[in-house]
Amino acid sequence: MTIPENWHRPPGAPTTGPAIVSDLDGVISDATHRQSYLRLEPQDWQGFFAAGLDDSVIESGRALTRSVKGGHAVVIVTARPSYMGTGTVEWLERNEVRYDLLVVRPVDDRRSSPD
């Protein structure tokens, strides 16, 4: 099965079945330290996202991913752009955050975060 290039799945992760879905920034990763990039005129989105690799982990978010049982997969979605995918996977692994699928924005997707 071919997956989209903005999807990141660790080896052995389930490909079907029930899942829980969580946002990353502000739920699992603490983005507080990088809010200053968004107070600039114009906003520095590239700096904002790059600084995400230095986020600390939110313990309750990490605990949530670890608590998922019963054959449910953990899907993490984020508005981080596609070029941040590899670094974000490394951040998840370094911080021991369970995930079965990470979905970052596709290339050239400029929609607002809620969209």
Side-chain angles (χ1 to χ4, degrees):
M1 174 179 144
T2 303
I3 64 171
E5 65 182 52
N6 63 309
W7 290 20
H8 302 268
R9 184 185 312 276
T15 57
T16 62
I20 66 108
V21 178
S22 176
D23 192 4
L24 178 61
D25 298 311
V27 178
I28 300 170
S29 71
D30 185 352
T32 305
H33 72 98
R34 52 190 166 112
Q35 296 304 308
S36 60
Y37 290 96
L38 303 182
R39 290 190 283 275
L40 299 172
E41 251 336 293
Q43 294 174 320
D44 181 1
W45 286 102
Q46 193 167 15
F48 175 80
F49 288 123
L53 302 180
D54 297 323
D55 286 358
S56 58
V57 71
I58 297 173
E59 188 53 46
S60 59
R62 177 169 49 196
L64 172 67
T65 67
R66 290 177 175 176
S67 71
V68 175
K69 306 280 189 249
H72 286 70
V74 175
V75 177
I76 297 176
V77 296
T78 181
R80 293 179 186 195
S82 61
Y83 66 83
M84 294 297 304
T86 300
T88 302
V89 165
E90 291 169 356
W91 184 92
L92 292 167
E93 292 172 356
R94 184 172 62 251
N95 287 282
E96 300 177 344
V97 175
R98 178 187 165 198
Y99 76 101
D100 297 299
L101 176 64
L102 169 69
V103 179
V104 297
R105 283 181 187 264
V107 173
D108 295 328
D109 183 343
R110 304 226 187 293
R111 291 176 292 172
S112 68
S113 192
D115 290 340

